[in-house]
Amino acid sequence: MPVKNRFAELLPEITEWRRDLHENPEILFETHRTSALVEEKLKAFGCDEVVTGIGRTGVVGVIRGKTNTSGKVIGLRADMDALPIHEETGLDYASKTPGAMHACGHDGHTAMLLGAAKYLAETRNFDGTAIVIFQPAEEGGGGGREMCEDGMMETFGIQEVYGMHNWPGVPLGQFAIRPGAFFAATDQFEIKVVGRGGHGAKPHQTVDPVVASAHMVSALQSIASRSADPVDEIVVSVTSIESSSKAFNVIPAAVTLRGTIRTMTKAARALAETRLKAIANGAAATFDAEAQIKWLPGYPAMVNSEEQTAFAASVAEKVAGSCEANAPITMGGEDFAYMLEERPGAYILVGNGDSADVHNPNYNFNDEAIPAGCSWWAGIIEERMPAA
């Protein structure tokens, strides 16, 4: 099952959809235009049902095969939202919305799943039901969680679920996947170090939160280097240090640290939270300051199911001729994790070639990846639920 000829025929049309989406990016749950376009096309394709408003602005389409003796129901998910980034590509179809850009390729994901939906609705050469899921707010909003909380899996009887993301650096149209934990949990923290401000020439009359926070930044690195098992993947990054003072001779009353911790297991995640709180409180107390800590839980680790991953890799190998079946772990986050907590499934990467990285103002989804991505999604349905 190589790339399907039908997707080569549909490439100009799908590319047109993708570039329209790129030109009109929408952020988080505000995917009103995008969701309406998806709804319109799914209805035009002849989907058996099209349901909107799941997870606020999510859209779900139902496509029934020629037969349903298997009773299987498989979900395919694409994300729709853009990022709050100002585009710098200079493309003819660059974003028309200042401060918003499809810098992660969700325009490509949506277009590819629409292409697969059109093909599946035309052919229906499978025994079961395909559910196409278009999700808002992947970029930090937890749209996947909200769709699950709205009862999507139960409403449509989804038994397995599959997702895909384009990946710069992977050869164009090739695939990469791994079983087990693939993307990291993405927790955040904010620590306000409260002291007593004063004149920079009289530090003995102050409780200096700058000194306390400097020690805290160094001490937090011991979570990875001394608290966690060396074989566990864990990243601790303090990404912001702010105080209210801009003067050279003023010791501020407070300093705020912000950052992120990335982990791959529930145990490491719990350990990181416990140690961060202990270290922050201890470091602050050492200098007579106070630590006011906010732990902000993010997405859980995204864990691919063993059986479904092997199946997804086999489909990818048939489409592309090969598949990297033990891809490197990424410490980035992905809220498809919520769907994989609800149902077994797998998440795969499709190569975007030698492009700018995602979340970069010069990134652009490579339209030449569309036939491979569409073929993989269609193959998941046709091979997992072969026609009776």
Side-chain angles (χ1 to χ4, degrees):
M1 188 198 72
V3 169
K4 294 181 180 294
N5 292 334
R6 181 62 174 135
F7 293 122
E9 296 169 1
L10 287 172
L11 179 57
E13 184 178 6
I14 300 172
T15 298
E16 184 178 340
W17 303 339
R18 202 283 293 183
R19 296 185 178 187
D20 175 75
L21 292 167
H22 188 92
E23 198 171 6
N24 297 279
E26 296 174 302
I27 293 171
L28 292 172
F29 291 99
E30 300 303 312
T31 58
H32 302 293
R33 180 187 184 275
T34 305
S35 298
L37 183 148
V38 167
E39 178 189 6
E40 176 189 347
K41 293 201 177 299
L42 292 179
K43 288 179 176 178
F45 299 160
C47 289
D48 297 286
E49 297 177 47
V50 179
V51 182
T52 62
I54 302 174
R56 302 196 220 179
T57 47
V59 183
V60 174
V62 178
I63 306 170
R64 298 188 180 95
K66 290 178 180 178
T67 55
N68 188 24
T69 60
S70 72
K72 290 182 178 178
V73 183
I74 293 178
L76 308 176
R77 172 271 203 179
D79 36 20
M80 301 187 291
D81 59 318
L83 281 157
I85 292 176
H86 181 73
E87 183 164 354
E88 297 178 3
T89 61
L91 294 165
D92 292 341
Y93 52 88
S95 170
K96 296 190 296 186
T97 305
M101 175 192 175
H102 271 295
C104 203
H106 297 186
D107 50 344
H109 305 163
T110 297
M112 287 191 293
L113 187 53
L114 283 173
K118 180 169 184 172
Y119 166 84
L120 292 169
E122 287 174 351
T123 59
R124 299 182 185 263
N125 190 32
F126 56 95
D127 179 43
T129 304
I131 308 295
V132 288
I133 303 163
F134 295 86
Q135 180 208 305
E138 191 283 323
E139 296 290 358
R145 178 187 62 241
E146 295 216 10
M147 292 189 86
C148 289
E149 289 177 349
D150 274 356
M152 177 182 69
M153 297 297 182
E154 295 78 13
T155 297
F156 298 99
I158 297 170
Q159 299 163 355
E160 297 180 5
V161 63
Y162 295 84
M164 176 169 47
H165 202 295
N166 80 95
W167 210 249
V170 172
L172 180 64
Q174 296 294 304
F175 293 89
I177 197 170
R178 69 175 295 120
F182 196 0
F183 281 58
T186 59
D187 300 313
Q188 298 174 323
F189 60 86
E190 179 180 288
I191 306 168
K192 186 175 182 180
V193 185
V194 180
R196 185 174 65 251
H199 200 293
K202 300 178 181 180
H204 60 293
Q205 296 179 356
T206 72
V207 174
D208 190 344
V210 176
V211 172
S213 64
H215 282 263
M216 197 177 293
V217 171
S218 295
L220 288 173
Q221 298 310 309
S222 69
I223 296 173
S225 66
R226 289 298 178 267
S227 297
D229 189 318
V231 302
D232 287 343
E233 295 84 4
I234 181 167
V235 174
V236 180
S237 294
V238 178
T239 57
S240 172
I241 304 175
E242 295 180 356
S243 83
S244 58
S245 173
K246 304 301 180 185
F248 289 94
N249 60 348
V250 174
I251 292 172
V255 170
T256 300
L257 310 179
R258 296 182 181 88
T260 184
I261 294 185
R262 305 298 175 98
T263 52
M264 299 302 291
T265 67
K266 291 180 180 179
R269 192 181 191 189
L271 171 70
E273 180 181 0
T274 299
R275 291 302 299 145
L276 176 133
K277 292 176 178 177
I279 290 168
N281 283 319
T286 299
F287 297 94
D288 292 328
E290 176 192 357
Q292 298 175 356
I293 304 164
K294 293 181 182 178
W295 178 263
L296 307 169
Y299 298 163
M302 190 192 73
V303 182
N304 276 343
S305 308
E306 295 278 345
E307 178 194 346
Q308 286 73 22
T309 299
F311 168 67
S314 71
V315 174
E317 187 172 354
K318 291 176 181 176
V319 172
S322 64
C323 176
E324 172 53 66
N326 194 31
I329 284 170
T330 173
M331 301 309 285
E334 170 53 64
D335 88 337
F336 189 64
Y338 293 110
M339 296 190 188
L340 289 177
E341 286 187 334
E342 295 270 337
R343 295 292 186 271
Y347 191 77
I348 201 166
L349 307 178
V350 62
N352 203 56
D354 184 19
S355 71
D357 204 358
V358 294
H359 292 222
N360 183 304
N362 289 297
Y363 165 86
N364 186 37
F365 177 83
N366 192 329
D367 293 317
E368 296 303 313
I370 287 172
C374 291
S375 295
W376 181 80
W377 257 322
I380 290 290
I381 297 301
E382 292 181 341
E383 298 223 351
R384 200 62 166 171
M385 302 184 290

